[in-house]
Amino acid sequence: MKVMEIPVIGSRKSEKEKIFTLLANKPLRKFEGLDVGFLELEDEHFIYFYFLNQESEDYYYLWDLILPYAPVCLVVFDFKNAEIFNRNVEIIEMLKERYDTPFHICSLPSSGEDPGVPLSGFANGDEDKEYQVFNPKDKNSAKSILQSLLDSIL
Amino acid sequence: MIDGLIISHDKSLYNELNINFSSILSIFEYADSVDSAKVHLNTESFDYVMIITRDLSQAVEIVGQLRADSTLDDMPFVCCTAGSDPAGRLKLWELGVKDIIRLPILKEELKLRMERFFRAITSSEVEEHTIGMQGKLEDYNLIDIVQTLEQNKKTGILTMYHGRDEGRIWFKDGEICDARFRNVENINAIMKLMTWMEGDFTMSFTNEEYERKIEIDNQQILLDAIQYLDERNQIMQTLHDRNEILLISPETDLTTMEAENATYLRFFQGGQTIATFLSAFDDDEISLLRKVSAFIEDDHLMTRKQFDTYTTEAEREIAQAGIKKVFKKIFKGREETVSDEIAVDGNGAAMNRTTTKRNETDSTDVPIPHYCAKDPVNINSFKEMIDHIK
């Protein structure tokens, strides 16, 4: 069995189910401070998604345990929500400071209807980074995000 | 723990249930429609689904739509509905609901009906596993169980439950063949399981031939276990109550510690008990307890009371001498790392965090609890497979 482990840093607890519905194809497993979603591929290949919540600082120690060993980290938040946006700018700056792990930024619109317009240039020095958007109604958007996420670490 | 999904178009009914019965329903989620329920059911595991609607035909429709999904064939359904139409109720039974609770109903009766329903779904799970013997670890510890199975020359699998953890021991004619707990195997797993004094156990008797991976006989295992428990208890007696919360001292500088020690110590970030520390790591408990003992001796760990006393003293000094002096005291010798601190609210707990940029020393011998495979994977093969997802 080959497993790739991808931490997903989500902005809000309430969004994790949306994210897992898009990314994973197995039931979510809940642990203290950590939820795990599984995407089963072919030939016993799996991707495990570890959902790390920004809201609960009590579990930030899990970031140190997981992020340094992950090939890539997915950061998901709603670009259109100013408060969440500003908080995530801080989080992204912190990730860059603390870990060598590459990160990939995606938006998950809170409202669900409009995927929103990708923004760029909000994290200093990352102007060339591609920002993507999950469309909650289209699983293909998750597929293309996963593909470009893997492209970014190849 | 029993996890339930409550489906109701009327959230006030769910709220009422939530307020009155949270003690017996344990964990449950709410869905206001079949579509929303399907999202929950696809992403989480539930032990039962409860449909609450006064309209009987609506209950039939909801159960019918969910039953169309073959992955829910084994899911127990219970309906709370007000309708009295016999044909509608018959349809619900035909759709395989486990129980129909007729509304209105007295709270007391509903509580009894729900408790009976939970017992029914729990006992049906037990039957599936053909349990031959079960009990509580408070009544029979592992030593008692091993002796009983040895005397009766039993073959089968002993499963032990402790909180969220589960461990297994395989027996052949009363002799221990193998044991497993998380990633720990053989004798080491038995020693871990020996420390469980609370929880449940079940013994499934089988006629299978288990490969003997533990060559030592039961008596020697038990003697070793008793010695192990004695040593463990001696160390425990010198420590704080295993359920008392311990915190990292504000004066502790994780950056100057060995990576392994820093990882162990970082577990106490925000406050953790010795009991949770022991259950979080697979390592031998005696060595873990020695670590805690050393951390306490070196003043790296302190109780909540000590922590509060320290911070109160720090606050007093702020009032007397200004913030700069206290800042220097708290972060003695750490000024160069302050800029690496996590950019959050800056409370005491968050400030203890330190930089963990990946390097060679970090990636070796650091105990990672259960996650993060260290084996590199072939990204290309994953990418090709993602292309094939429909």
Side-chain angles (χ1 to χ4, degrees):
Chain A
M1 189 169 96
K2 278 285 176 190
V3 177
M4 184 189 291
E5 297 165 296
I6 300 179
V8 181
I9 297 183
S11 57
R12 286 192 298 194
K13 226 177 195 171
S14 57
E15 283 174 349
K16 76 169 182 254
E17 274 150 22
K18 274 194 220 166
I19 294 169
F20 279 121
T21 306
L22 288 166
L23 290 175
N25 59 10
K26 295 268 179 196
L28 180 69
R29 290 193 65 191
K30 293 181 175 178
F31 299 91
E32 200 167 342
L34 177 79
D35 295 314
V36 187
F38 306 90
L39 174 63
E40 186 174 2
L41 303 168
E42 300 157 14
D43 296 335
E44 294 203 314
H45 279 58
F46 289 83
I47 300 182
Y48 289 5
F49 296 100
Y50 298 122
F51 187 92
L52 301 168
N53 193 350
Q54 291 177 13
E55 284 177 341
S56 181
E57 286 167 19
D58 287 350
Y59 298 114
Y60 272 17
Y61 71 91
L62 288 172
W63 296 29
D64 285 347
L65 293 174
I66 293 175
L67 285 172
Y69 304 95
V72 64
C73 166
L74 186 60
V75 184
V76 185
F77 61 95
D78 185 2
F79 288 172
K80 293 163 80 180
N81 182 317
E83 190 189 332
I84 290 174
F85 181 91
N86 289 333
R87 178 165 170 75
N88 274 274
V89 170
E90 285 181 16
I91 293 281
I92 288 163
E93 290 297 332
M94 183 274 286
L95 287 173
K96 282 163 55 186
E97 282 285 318
R98 291 173 63 80
Y99 310 108
D100 287 336
T101 314
F103 57 90
H104 207 79
I105 304 166
C106 293
S107 178
L108 182 66
S110 302
S111 58
E113 309 86 32
D114 177 7
V117 181
L119 301 178
S120 60
F122 62 80
N124 291 339
D126 282 337
E127 285 78 5
D128 57 339
K129 212 168 190 47
E130 190 184 351
Y131 299 98
Q132 292 180 295
V133 177
F134 273 116
N135 181 348
K137 291 180 179 173
D138 181 11
K139 271 217 159 200
N140 280 329
S141 73
K143 193 170 154 180
S144 66
I145 283 168
L146 276 179
Q147 281 167 331
S148 55
L149 183 142
L150 296 185
D151 275 340
S152 71
I153 52 173
L154 271 174
Chain B
M1 297 287 266
I2 299 174
D3 298 351
L5 175 65
I6 313 295
I7 306 173
S8 177
H9 295 308
D10 184 353
K11 197 167 184 186
S12 65
L13 291 172
Y14 161 79
N15 289 337
E16 204 175 323
L17 199 75
N18 197 350
I19 292 163
N20 290 301
F21 299 106
S22 56
S23 61
I24 61 164
L25 289 174
S26 59
I27 299 169
F28 54 94
E29 296 277 352
Y30 171 71
D32 61 355
S33 65
V34 174
D35 287 342
S36 158
K38 281 180 178 171
V39 172
H40 280 285
L41 289 162
N42 282 334
T43 51
E44 291 173 67
S45 299
F46 292 102
D47 298 306
Y48 70 95
V49 172
M50 178 187 268
I51 295 119
I52 312 174
T53 171
R54 290 191 177 87
D55 184 346
L56 178 57
S57 59
Q58 201 171 55
V60 173
E61 195 184 327
I62 293 171
V63 178
Q65 285 179 32
L66 292 173
R67 277 285 184 234
D69 182 349
S70 59
T71 60
L72 299 176
D73 283 352
D74 297 327
M75 177 64 73
F77 285 85
V78 59
C79 286
C80 297
T81 181
S84 58
D85 171 26
R89 295 168 69 81
L90 184 63
K91 185 71 185 162
L92 279 180
W93 290 118
E94 283 173 354
L95 285 166
V97 298
K98 286 268 183 198
D99 201 1
I100 303 173
I101 296 172
R102 195 161 167 184
L103 302 174
I105 187 168
L106 289 173
K107 274 182 204 168
E108 291 75 14
E109 188 189 346
L110 180 59
K111 188 178 176 199
L112 292 171
R113 293 281 295 272
M114 290 308 299
E115 283 173 345
R116 196 182 69 171
F117 173 69
F118 293 149
R119 274 200 300 276
I121 57 174
T122 314
S123 63
S124 65
E125 280 169 15
V126 170
E127 278 166 19
E128 280 170 21
H129 293 94
T130 59
I131 301 303
M133 185 174 124
Q134 57 186 315
K136 293 209 161 287
L137 293 171
E138 292 90 327
D139 301 327
Y140 302 96
N141 63 32
L142 184 52
I143 294 174
D144 300 329
I145 300 167
V146 170
Q147 284 174 335
T148 307
L149 294 171
E150 187 181 18
Q151 278 164 16
N152 296 293
K153 296 194 178 303
K154 292 291 184 187
T155 298
I157 305 168
L158 174 71
T159 309
M160 296 170 67
Y161 305 93
H162 178 67
R164 295 178 184 189
D165 283 327
E166 182 180 322
R168 288 188 170 191
I169 302 177
W170 285 262
F171 288 84
K172 171 71 182 159
D173 297 329
E175 287 292 325
I176 293 173
C177 301
D178 193 8
R180 187 164 297 178
F181 164 65
R182 292 187 194 149
N183 296 319
V184 190
E185 294 181 339
N186 303 339
I187 288 290
N188 291 338
I190 291 177
M191 295 306 155
K192 272 274 184 188
L193 300 177
M194 281 287 176
T195 63
W196 293 3
M197 298 301 164
E198 295 158 0
D200 299 288
F201 70 89
T202 58
M203 178 71 196
S204 308
F205 297 123
T206 63
N207 294 317
E208 289 182 36
E209 290 287 330
Y210 298 120
E211 186 190 345
R212 187 152 185 181
K213 292 183 181 169
I214 297 175
E215 296 295 340
I216 312 166
D217 66 45
N218 285 7
Q219 289 311 311
Q220 188 58 49
I221 293 172
L222 293 182
L223 282 173
D224 290 348
I226 290 166
Q227 202 177 354
Y228 179 86
L229 289 175
D230 275 350
E231 194 178 345
R232 175 182 174 273
N233 292 341
Q234 276 174 19
I235 303 173
M236 291 284 268
Q237 278 169 9
T238 65
L239 300 174
H240 297 278
D241 181 332
R242 67 199 299 271
N243 292 313
E244 181 165 7
I245 288 177
L246 300 177
L247 297 113
I248 304 175
S249 164
E251 291 204 39
T252 294
D253 182 359
L254 291 170
T255 56
T256 59
M257 299 182 94
E258 283 177 29
E260 188 191 32
N261 282 344
T263 306
Y264 286 124
L265 201 51
R266 197 172 283 118
F267 180 82
F268 289 92
Q269 195 81 57
Q272 289 291 344
T273 64
I274 294 174
T276 50
F277 175 70
L278 293 177
S279 64
F281 293 92
D282 285 350
D283 309 50
D284 168 53
E285 288 205 358
I286 290 177
S287 65
L288 288 174
L289 286 169
R290 284 191 178 130
K291 290 267 177 211
V292 175
S293 180
F295 290 150
I296 293 171
E297 207 167 295
D298 297 341
D299 295 327
H300 291 312
L301 284 179
M302 50 173 64
T303 61
R304 171 74 69 188
K305 196 177 168 189
Q306 290 167 329
F307 187 88
D308 289 345
T309 307
Y310 181 93
T311 47
T312 309
E313 179 65 19
E315 280 165 11
R316 195 182 61 78
E317 285 192 31
I318 288 172
Q320 285 181 351
I323 196 162
K324 199 173 175 184
K325 184 177 168 187
V326 175
F327 189 84
K328 276 189 177 169
K329 183 178 178 184
I330 292 175
F331 296 102
K332 191 171 54 182
R334 299 182 58 203
E335 285 81 356
E336 71 278 11
T337 67
V338 170
S339 60
D340 287 326
E341 301 294 341
I342 190 166
V344 290
D345 297 342
N347 59 29
M351 280 183 162
N352 279 327
R353 298 177 61 83
T354 52
T355 304
T356 54
K357 284 250 185 190
R358 177 162 49 181
N359 58 42
E360 288 307 312
T361 51
D362 275 349
S363 59
T364 53
D365 301 319
V366 178
I368 304 299
H370 326 307
Y371 19 77
C372 283
K374 292 174 190 173
D375 295 337
V377 291
N378 183 343
I379 308 283
N380 268 322
S381 63
F382 276 87
K383 191 169 179 298
E384 282 167 21
M385 287 173 192
I386 288 168
D387 287 339
H388 298 157
I389 298 176
K390 287 174 185 162

